[in-house]
Amino acid sequence: MRHVHPSEWSWRAGEGEYVHHWLKELMQGESPDMILYGAPLSRSSISPSAASAYPLEFRKMGKGFTTYNLEEDIDLRAFTVRDAGDIAMHTTDILLSHSRIEEATEDIVQTFSSSTTCMIGGDHSVTACAVRGVKKAYPTERIGILQFDTHLDVRDPSELGPANGTPIRQLIDGEIVQGSDVINIGLHGYFNAASLVTYAKQHNIDMVTLRAARRKGVAETVRTKLAELAERVDRIYVTVDMDVLDIAVAPGVPASTPGGMRADELFDALKVVGEHSEVRHIDFVCLDPMRDVATMATVKTGMYAFLEFVTGRVNQTRGK
Amino acid sequence: MRHVHPSEWSWRAGEGEYVHHWLKELMQGESPDMILYGAPLSRSSISPSAASAYPLEFRKMGKGFTTYNLEEDIDLRAFTVRDAGDIAMHTTDILLSHSRIEEATEDIVQTFSSSTTCMIGGDHSVTACAVRGVKKAYPTERIGILQFDTHLDVRDPSELGPANGTPIRQLIDGEIVQGSDVINIGLHGYFNAASLVTYAKQHNIDMVTLRAARRKGVAETVRTKLAELAERVDRIYVTVDMDVLDIAVAPGVPASTPGGMRADELFDALKVVGEHSEVRHIDFVCLDPMRDVATMATVKTGMYAFLEFVTGRVNQTRGK
Amino acid sequence: MRHVHPSEWSWRAGEGEYVHHWLKELMQGESPDMILYGAPLSRSSISPSAASAYPLEFRKMGKGFTTYNLEEDIDLRAFTVRDAGDIAMHTTDILLSHSRIEEATEDIVQTFSSSTTCMIGGDHSVTACAVRGVKKAYPTERIGILQFDTHLDVRDPSELGPANGTPIRQLIDGEIVQGSDVINIGLHGYFNAASLVTYAKQHNIDMVTLRAARRKGVAETVRTKLAELAERVDRIYVTVDMDVLDIAVAPGVPASTPGGMRADELFDALKVVGEHSEVRHIDFVCLDPMRDVATMATVKTGMYAFLEFVTGRVNQTRGK
Amino acid sequence: MRHVHPSEWSWRAGEGEYVHHWLKELMQGESPDMILYGAPLSRSSISPSAASAYPLEFRKMGKGFTTYNLEEDIDLRAFTVRDAGDIAMHTTDILLSHSRIEEATEDIVQTFSSSTTCMIGGDHSVTACAVRGVKKAYPTERIGILQFDTHLDVRDPSELGPANGTPIRQLIDGEIVQGSDVINIGLHGYFNAASLVTYAKQHNIDMVTLRAARRKGVAETVRTKLAELAERVDRIYVTVDMDVLDIAVAPGVPASTPGGMRADELFDALKVVGEHSEVRHIDFVCLDPMRDVATMATVKTGMYAFLEFVTGRVNQTRGK
Amino acid sequence: MRHVHPSEWSWRAGEGEYVHHWLKELMQGESPDMILYGAPLSRSSISPSAASAYPLEFRKMGKGFTTYNLEEDIDLRAFTVRDAGDIAMHTTDILLSHSRIEEATEDIVQTFSSSTTCMIGGDHSVTACAVRGVKKAYPTERIGILQFDTHLDVRDPSELGPANGTPIRQLIDGEIVQGSDVINIGLHGYFNAASLVTYAKQHNIDMVTLRAARRKGVAETVRTKLAELAERVDRIYVTVDMDVLDIAVAPGVPASTPGGMRADELFDALKVVGEHSEVRHIDFVCLDPMRDVATMATVKTGMYAFLEFVTGRVNQTRGK
Amino acid sequence: MRHVHPSEWSWRAGEGEYVHHWLKELMQGESPDMILYGAPLSRSSISPSAASAYPLEFRKMGKGFTTYNLEEDIDLRAFTVRDAGDIAMHTTDILLSHSRIEEATEDIVQTFSSSTTCMIGGDHSVTACAVRGVKKAYPTERIGILQFDTHLDVRDPSELGPANGTPIRQLIDGEIVQGSDVINIGLHGYFNAASLVTYAKQHNIDMVTLRAARRKGVAETVRTKLAELAERVDRIYVTVDMDVLDIAVAPGVPASTPGGMRADELFDALKVVGEHSEVRHIDFVCLDPMRDVATMATVKTGMYAFLEFVTGRVNQTRGK
C-alpha cells in the first residue's frame, strides 16, 4: 500500500544520530563501555512518589537528544552504552525489591567489570542496595561515595525501614562505606534537621554546602574533592539525587527546593565526574515524571545530566 | 493587641454549622453514632498513588460543607460522628501496615459495636484488611460486601502480594467472604481482563453493570440488591472505590474512566445505602488528592458522597 | 544477571488480555477483520492543532484497556484488527500529504476489500481524502456518510484550501458524495454560521440536531438513520469528529463545546454503527492529545469509542 | 505593501456572522432590543475572586460563537443588542462602586425602558445594587426575582457588609423585594447553613431544590414558576449565579459544587426565561475567568447561556 | 484501639526540629525575640489577588522546613518567634481593615518594644498602614524604609484610594517618612511609568536598580545602603514585595517579571538585613498562593526568605 | 448614563505611558523609526506549534509594559514604532504564505528604507522568506545574519520542504547569504545532529557556543562579533529564535532546552544589537503562546526582549 509505514517509521529515518538509537538494548556477549539499568521502585519513598516511572520516561526522552556534544565537539557514539533493562520489582514486597536491586547490581558489576554502570532510579533507597551489590562483588575494595543532594539521607532506618531518607545511614551503619568516605555536595538551607547534621558530623561525612562549592565553582570543587577521595578509596560510586537542583529548574523532583543548584552547575560537575577514572558507578534518582511540568523540563534535564557524564567518560576514555 | 486573633479564628465564628466542627475528635468514653478513621496507605497501589493523603484532605474539606442537607431538610448534627484519627502506617513495611489496619478495625468495631464505622483510605488494599478485622471481631457472622467499583479487584495476590487490585480475591480465597455475597455495582467498558471475569463467574460474584443498574436507576438497583443480600448475611460492608465515577467528574482518581457513574447517581445510591440498617461499615478508597484538579472537585465529591451516606443514616436512625 | 529484564517486560506478562497486544502490526498476507491506519496530519487545521499526534497516543493507550467488554460479555479477540501503520506525511506540502492519504486509502480498501477500515486522524481534512480514495477504489458505488460532528464542515475550500472546515463541501462539490447522502448528527448551539446552514439546506444534508437525536435516544436515532441511508447507498463511511463531544468530557479536542454529546451517548451510538453491515469505513478525527488534561481523559474516551465500534462489529459478524 | 493588513483583519472577513460583530457598541440615539453592560467588581467577594475580569472575557468570547441557533433555526441578528460598556469601578471604595452600579442601572433601565437589560458581573453583590437601581427607576412597581443559584445568598450584611453572600438579604431587609417574590432554583447539597435556611423560610423565599426541579424538568419548572411569579409582580429580574452549575462543567466558578445543574439544563431554562415577557432584566455573575481551565470551558458556557436567553427573547419578540 | 492516633500525629513525632513547631502561638506574658502576625488583605489590590491567603499558607509551609541552617551551622531555635495570629479583616470595608492594621501594628510594636516584628501580607497596601502604626507608637522617631520591589509603589492614592500601588506615596505625602529615607532595591525593566519615576526623583527616593545592585552584589549593596540609612534614621522598616523576584522563580506573585532578582540574591540580602540592628520591622507581601504552581515553589521561596532574615537576626543577636 | 464607559475605557486613561499606546497602527504617509509586522505562520513547523498566535499575543502584552526604561533612564517614546499589521497567511498553502512574507518584506524594507524593521513570527521558516525579501529589495548588498538559537537550522529542505528547521540552509544553498556571514550564538548541548554540524563547518558558519559566549559575557561577545561581521557585510539581519532561552525561563517555546541562555543575558545582548547601526532588521520567532504557563512568562519575556532591542536603538539614534 502506497505511503503506509509502521507507525514509528519516522524515527527510523535519522537512525544513528539520536540518543534513542545509540542507547541500544544489551545483546548477549557484548562488552560495552557502559551498562545502563533501571530500578523502578518508589513505593519506598517517605512521601508519595512516582519516580518508579522515570526509567521508562528517561529512555523515551532519548528521541529529543542527539549524540553530538556541540560544546565539546565530540560524538558520543565513540562510547558504547547498552541498556540491560529494568530490575523486576515486586508490587508490594519492598524488601524483596531491594534485595533484587542488590543482587542485580552485584551481577552486573561483576559480569561487566570493565564497564561503567549507570542505574536509573527510583527513589533514593535504591542507592543503598546498589552500593551493597558493588561491595558484594568487590568485598575487599574500599568504596567512596560522591553524593549530589540537598539532603544528607541519614535518617534512621530502625524507625522508617530502608526508606528513601536513609541510604547513607544504612551504608555507614552497615559498615559498607565509612562516613569519611562520603562527600555530599549541594547542601543548603533548612532541609536537614539538626539531629541529622549531628549524625553526619559524628561520622565525618564531608558536607560541602552549595555556597562553599560555588566559591571556586561547583565543577572545580568536585574535581578537588574527587581527587582527595580517590586517594583513600578503591572505587567511587556517584549518586545524583535530582533534588539537588533548584525547584525552578527541577519541578518534577518532589523534594527539590528554592536556593538549589543550577542545571548548568550540575552539568559541568557531571562532566568532571565522568572524566575521573576511579568513578565506576553512577545513579540518578528521585525524578518523578508524573509531577513534571508539561514541557517535561525535568526529564530533559535528567537526560542532559546523564549525557554530560557520558561526555566526561568519553574524554576520560580518550585519556584527556 | 487590637484586632489580632489566632490565625484560624474566622472559622470559629460559624462554629457548629460546618462539617469541620461537627466532625470532632473522638474523646474517651464517647459512644457516637459513627466512628471515622483513616487508613493512609497507598504504597500498596500497583500504579503510583498518593491516596495516602486523602484522609487529611478529606478532613480539611469539612470547611467547605455545612451540616444541613437542603434537599432532605435535615440537619446532620442529629447524628454524632467522631474522628478516631489515622492508623499509624509504617514507612516501608506494607504487611505490617496491613496488619495494623486489620487490628485497628477489629478493635474499633468491637469497642463501638453499635456505631457505624467509616474508614477513609488509602488504596483499595485496605478494604481486605478492614473486612478481616470485622471478621475477627464477629467470627460467627456472615459478611456481605457491596462494592462500588469499575473493577472487580480479583487479581491474584500470589503474583502481586496484597496490592490494591486484589482485595476481593483475598477475602474470597481466604474464606472471609463468599463470592456470592459480593455485589459489584458500576462495572462497564474494557477495564477487567477476561480471565478476571472468569474468576468472578466461578465464584458467583454478583456483577451488576452500570448499564444494568441504570435500567431502573442506580439507587433503586442498590436498594433491591441490598435487600437480597441482607437476607443472606448478618452484616454488610460497603466499599466505595471512587474510580467507579466517570473520569470527567473524578479526575483525582487515577483509575477512573470515561463512561463511569455520574456523581448524582453515586450520591443517591449512598443515601439508600445509609438507610439500610444492615449496612454497618463503609469505606471510601482510591482518591488521590495530589492528582486532583485545582478546584479540588474530586475531594469535594468525596466529601459530598460521605455526607449522602450520613444523610441516609440519619433517615435510618429516625426509623424512616 | 538476576532479575533484570528488557524495560517494558512487565507489559509482556499479561500478553493477550490488553488492547495493546491484540492490536498487532499487520503482517504480509494477513486478511484481518479490520485494518487500522493513521493519518497524522493536522497542519491543515484552521486553528493550530496537534491532532497529528493522536495516532501514536491512540496506540499507546491500548495499554490501559482490556479486550473484554463486560457489559456485552464478549471478547474482542474474536475479531482481528491489524495495524498497517501511519501514512507518511510531508512536512510542508499539505497537498502532497492529502494525495497520499487518498492513494493509501484507495490501496487499503482495494487490497482488503472484505475488511472494515478504520483511519485515525489527524484533523478533519483527512476525511475528504479518504472518501475520495474509497471512491477511486469503487467508482461505481454510491457512498453515504454518517458524520458525528458539532459542525457541518462545509466551509469553502476555494477560500481556505482543503482545510479541516471543508471536507463535506469538498466531497459534495467534487461530486464524490451527494449532499442528501450525508447525515450529520450532533449539531447544536451557535457553532455554524447561517451561510453554512444555507449551503447545507441547499444540498439536502440531513441535519439531525443533538436535541432531535435525544428525543428517541442518540443510538436509536442512529439506527434509524443508518437504515434509511442504507437503502440509498452502496457503502457507508462513518466519520467521528470528536468535537461532537461536550467540552467537559473532551477537553483535548480544540473545537469541542458546552452543550455537546455525552460520552455514553457516543459510545452507544458507535456500537449501533458497528452492528450495521453496510458501514465499511470509519475514522476518528480532531483529537489533539497535547491539549488533553493530565488524566488523558480525552485519549481514553477516544479509545473507548473505538472499542465500542469494534464491539458492534463483533455483534455484526456473529450475525446478531 | 502587499499582503499586509491590520492585525485583526481576519476577523473582519466574516463580519456579521459572529457574535463578536453583532454585539456592537451602543451609539448615541439607538434604541436596541437589549442593552448589555458590565459591572466588573469582585473585591466584594468573601473569598478571593477575579470575576471582575469576566465582562471583558465574555466579550472576547464572542469570536467563538455565531449568531445562528441551529436547534431553533433562528438568526439572532433579528434582535439588536448593544453594549453600553462597563460601569467604572473604584479601586478601593467598594461602597462607591456599589452606588455607581445602582445609579448606572437606574439610568439604563429608565433611558431604555423598552429594552431588556443584561448586566455581566462581577460577583453576586452587584445584583443587590442593580435591583435597587431598577426599583429607583420604577418605584411603584413590584419586582420579582428568579435566582439560579446553589446558595441562598442571605448572609447577614450587618456582619459582612454588602458582600457577595448577602444580596437577597439586602433586598428583603431593605424592603426592595418581598421574600415571597424570590424564587431560588438549583439549591442542593450541603452548601447553605441551617440558620440561613431558617431565614429563607421565615421570609417565604420559594426554595426549589435541583432534585425538585428535575422532577418535571428544570425548564418546565422554570416556566411554571415564572407564570406564578408573574401573577404577583410587575417585572421580573433574573439573576444567574453561575455557581448553580456542576463543578465539572463550571470549573471557573469558585463556588461551583459537585451535584450541581448540568449545562444543558441551564441552557434550556434560560430559553424559557427569555421567552417570558415579564422578564425585563437579567444578570450573569460569579464567573472567574482566571480560574477557568485552558479550554475556557466556563467562559464558553457563560456565552452559550447568554445566547440561549437571547434565543428565548427572539421567540418572545416574534410572539411565539 | 491499637495503632490509631489523632490524624496529624505523625507531625508530632519530630517535634522541635521543624519550623512548624518552633513558630508557636504567642502566649500571654511572653516576650519573644520576634513577633509574627498576618494581615490577610488583598481586596485592595489593583488587579485581582489572593495574597490574603498567604499568611495561612506561610504557616502551613513550616512543615517543610527545619530550624537548622546548614550553611551557617546555626539553629534558629536560639531565637524565639511567636505568632500573634492574624489581624481581623472586614469583608467589604477596606478602610476599616486598613485602620485595624495600623492600630494592631501600633499595639504590637509598643507592647513588644524590644522584639523584631514581622508582618505577613496581604498586598502591598498593608505596608502603609503598618508604617503609620509604627509612627504612632514612636512619633518622635525618624523611620527609614528599605524596599525590595520591582515597582516604586508611588501611584496616586487620590485616584485609586489606598490601593497596593500607592503605599510609598501615602507615606511620603502623609509626611510619615521622607522620600530620601526610602531605598528601593530591585527596580529594572519597563514596569514603572515615566511619571512615577519623576515623582520618585522629586522626592529623592534612592532608586537602586537591580543591575546597579549586582555590580558589587545585591547583599553587599544592601549592607552599604543600610549603613547609610542608619546614619539618618532612628529605625528601619524593611518591606519585601515578593514581585522583586524573577517570574521564573516566583510564579505565584502576580506582578513578578522576567529579568527580576534571583532567589539566592534575595536570600543573601535578607540575611544581611537581619544582621543589621536598626532594622526593627519587616514585612513580606504580594505572594498569592492560589496562583502558585503545583510544587508550591513560591510559598517555599517565601518561607526560605523569611528564615534567611531570621538567620541574620540570630547572628545580630549573637553580636556577630 | 452615569458611570458607564466603553469597556476598555480604563486603558485609555493612562494613554501614552504604556507600550500598548505607543505601539500605534501605521498611518498612511508616516515614516517611523521602526516598522513592526507579524508573520503568523506556524503550520510549517516540523512539530506542532501555535507560534502563529504570537503576533497577536505580543501586541496584547503591550498593556503590561511601560515605555520607560528605568535602568537606562530613557523613554522609548523618543523612538517611533508603527505597527503595519500582519501578513495575510493562507490556511493551507504554505508556499503561498512564504512567498507573501517574502513580497511583503521586500515592500516594507523598500518603502521604509530608513526604518528598522521588526518581524514577529511565526516559526523559524519565516526568516528565510524575510531575508530573501530584503535581498530582493537590495540585490547588490551583502547581508550578514546574527542568529540567536540553540539550533543551527540547516536541515535539508529537499527532504522537509521549507520547514522551520531549514531557513539558514535555504539561504546558503540559495546563495542569498554566505555561510561565513552567519553567526550563531547560543549553541549548546545535544540538540544538533553531527551531520548538521558538518554542514555548518563546511560552510564556515561561525558557531559561538553558549559557554564560549559566556567567557567574556554574552553581550560583550555579541558586540565583538557584530563588529567583525559589519566589516564584511552591508547590512545585518538579526534573528532571535526564542528557543535559545533556557526551558525554565521560556516554557512557552516548544524547542527550548535545559542549559540554555538566561533571560538577562539575552536582554543585555539585544541592547547591544540595537545599538549597532548596521543592524537593520530583526525578527523574533518560535514563541508559542498556547503552551505558555499561566503567568504568560514567555510572552512577557518576548516583549521585554523586544524592548531591550528598542532601547539599544534609541541609544544608537542618539549617537551614543
Side-chain angles (χ1 to χ4, degrees), chain F residues 227-239:
Chain F
E228 287 171 24
L229 185 61
E231 306 224 340
R232 296 197 297 276
V233 302
D234 299 304
R235 61 175 64 218
I236 296 173
Y237 186 107
V238 178
T239 178

Side-chain angles (χ1 to χ4, degrees), chain F residues 149-161:
Chain F
D149 207 330
T150 295
H151 307 89
L152 289 162
D153 284 353
V154 294
R155 293 184 64 174
D156 190 354
S158 73
E159 180 196 346
L160 305 170

Side-chain angles (χ1 to χ4, degrees), chain F residues 100-115:
Chain F
R100 285 180 183 170
I101 296 170
E102 188 174 324
E103 290 166 8
T105 301
E106 182 188 351
D107 289 3
I108 287 169
V109 301
Q110 231 159 18
T111 311
F112 301 94
S113 61
S114 62
S115 305

Side-chain angles (χ1 to χ4, degrees), chain D residues 121-285:
Chain D
D123 67 50
H124 217 162
S125 73
V126 302
T127 298
C129 312
V131 175
R132 280 193 300 263
V134 172
K135 186 70 181 176
K136 278 198 178 155
Y138 301 99
T140 62
E141 292 198 14
R142 184 168 163 186
I143 302 172
I145 291 182
L146 176 68
Q147 176 186 11
F148 291 87
D149 207 329
T150 295
H151 307 89
L152 288 162
D153 284 353
V154 294
R155 293 183 63 174
D156 189 353
S158 73
E159 180 196 345
L160 304 170
N164 67 336
T166 68
I168 299 304
R169 184 148 178 182
Q170 287 183 51
L171 293 171
I172 293 173
D173 291 357
E175 300 191 346
I176 307 298
V177 171
Q178 298 178 32
S180 54
D181 291 344
V182 175
I183 300 168
N184 185 311
I185 288 187
L187 297 162
H188 69 97
Y190 307 86
F191 305 105
N192 292 279
S195 58
L196 302 184
V197 177
T198 299
Y199 176 93
K201 286 177 178 171
Q202 286 167 345
H203 291 80
N204 300 310
I205 292 174
D206 188 359
M207 294 184 281
V208 185
T209 68
L210 184 51
R211 192 170 304 167
R214 278 174 172 162
R215 256 172 235 132
K216 53 177 181 169
V218 174
E220 209 40 45
T221 301
V222 165
R223 191 185 314 274
T224 308
K225 289 289 173 182
L226 279 176
E228 289 170 24
L229 185 61
E231 305 224 340
R232 296 197 298 276
V233 303
D234 300 304
R235 60 175 65 218
I236 296 173
Y237 186 108
V238 178
T239 179
V240 184
D241 186 329
M242 294 292 285
D243 76 17
V244 77
L245 290 170
D246 193 276
I247 196 167
V249 303
V253 182
S256 67
T257 62
M261 203 176 273
R262 297 195 311 270
D264 63 282
E265 289 173 327
L266 181 62
F267 295 162
D268 288 353
L270 285 173
K271 193 154 63 71
V272 167
V273 166
E275 286 169 353
H276 198 286
S277 60
E278 245 158 288
V279 170
R280 305 295 306 282
H281 315 287
I282 193 167
D283 67 37
F284 294 87
V285 299

Side-chain angles (χ1 to χ4, degrees), chain C residues 48, chain F residues 39-42 45 48-55 120-124 254 285-290:
Chain F
L41 177 76
S42 53
S45 171
S49 164
S52 57
Y54 184 50
I120 306 293
D123 68 50
H124 219 162
V285 299
C286 289
L287 199 164
D288 176 351
M290 293 174 73

Side-chain angles (χ1 to χ4, degrees), chain C residues 286-303:
Chain C
C286 290
L287 198 164
D288 176 350
M290 294 175 73
R291 300 229 201 135
D292 207 355
V293 286
T295 59
M296 294 296 273
T298 319
V299 175
K300 283 177 186 160
T301 301
M303 173 54 80

Side-chain angles (χ1 to χ4, degrees), chain E:
Chain E
M1 295 155 313
R2 283 171 287 177
H3 318 303
V4 186
H5 305 273
S7 74
E8 293 217 52
W9 170 81
S10 60
W11 289 109
R12 296 177 194 172
E15 183 137 16
E17 302 229 302
Y18 285 84
V19 166
H20 185 241
H21 305 113
W22 161 66
L23 211 155
K24 289 201 180 68
E25 210 172 297
L26 178 68
M27 294 298 162
Q28 198 78 29
E30 287 185 309
S31 181
D33 295 322
M34 178 189 278
I35 292 283
L36 184 98
Y37 63 111
L41 178 76
S42 52
R43 60 189 78 238
S44 31
S45 172
I46 298 172
S47 57
S49 164
S52 56
Y54 183 51
L56 185 58
E57 293 302 320
F58 170 82
R59 291 172 179 108
K60 285 201 238 165
M61 190 45 80
K63 290 183 181 177
F65 286 76
T66 74
T67 56
Y68 183 76
N69 180 318
L70 207 142
E71 285 284 4
E72 302 277 322
D73 194 13
I74 65 169
D75 197 317
L76 306 181
R77 287 175 295 186
F79 188 82
T80 53
V81 181
R82 289 297 174 269
D83 182 355
D86 284 345
I87 305 171
M89 297 287 96
H90 190 269
T91 306
T92 47
D93 189 337
I94 291 173
L95 295 186
L96 177 59
S97 295
H98 276 164
S99 69
R100 285 181 184 170
I101 296 170
E102 187 174 326
E103 290 166 8
T105 301
E106 182 188 351
D107 290 2
I108 287 169
V109 300
Q110 230 159 20
T111 311
F112 301 94
S113 60
S114 62
S115 305
T116 304
T117 67
C118 175
M119 179 173 72
I120 306 294
D123 67 49
H124 218 162
S125 73
V126 303
T127 298
C129 311
V131 176
R132 280 194 299 263
V134 172
K135 186 69 181 177
K136 277 199 178 153
Y138 302 99
T140 62
E141 293 198 15
R142 183 168 165 186
I143 301 173
I145 291 181
L146 176 68
Q147 176 186 11
F148 290 87
D149 208 329
T150 295
H151 308 89
L152 289 162
D153 285 352
V154 294
R155 293 184 64 173
D156 190 353
S158 74
E159 180 196 346
L160 305 170
N164 68 336
T166 69
I168 299 303
R169 184 145 176 184
Q170 286 184 50
L171 294 171
I172 293 172
D173 291 357
E175 300 190 346
I176 307 298
V177 171
Q178 298 178 32
S180 55
D181 291 344
V182 175
I183 300 168
N184 185 312
I185 288 187
L187 297 162
H188 69 98
Y190 307 85
F191 306 105
N192 292 276
S195 58
L196 302 183
V197 178
T198 300
Y199 176 93
K201 287 177 177 170
Q202 285 167 344
H203 291 80
N204 300 308
I205 292 175
D206 188 358
M207 295 185 280
V208 185
T209 68
L210 184 51
R211 193 171 303 168
R214 278 175 170 160
R215 256 173 234 132
K216 53 176 181 172
V218 174
E220 209 41 45
T221 301
V222 165
R223 191 186 312 277
T224 308
K225 288 289 173 183
L226 279 175
E228 288 171 24
L229 185 62
E231 305 225 339
R232 296 197 298 275
V233 301
D234 299 304
R235 62 174 65 218
I236 296 172
Y237 186 107
V238 178
T239 179
V240 184
D241 187 329
M242 295 293 285
D243 76 17
V244 77
L245 290 170
D246 192 277
I247 196 167
V249 304
V253 182
S256 66
T257 62
M261 204 176 272
R262 297 194 312 269
D264 63 282
E265 288 174 327
L266 180 62
F267 295 161
D268 288 354
L270 285 173
K271 192 153 65 70
V272 167
V273 166
E275 286 169 353
H276 198 285
S277 60
E278 246 158 285
V279 170
R280 305 296 305 281
H281 315 287
I282 192 167
D283 66 38
F284 294 86
V285 299
C286 290
L287 198 163
D288 176 350
M290 294 174 73
R291 301 228 202 135
D292 207 355
V293 286
T295 60
M296 294 296 273
T298 319
V299 175
K300 283 177 186 159
T301 302
M303 174 53 81
Y304 203 128
F306 165 74
L307 295 176
E308 290 292 87
F309 175 73
V310 176
T311 290
R313 206 88 295 207
V314 177
N315 285 337
Q316 185 257 330
T317 309
R318 287 175 169 177
K320 180 183 168 179

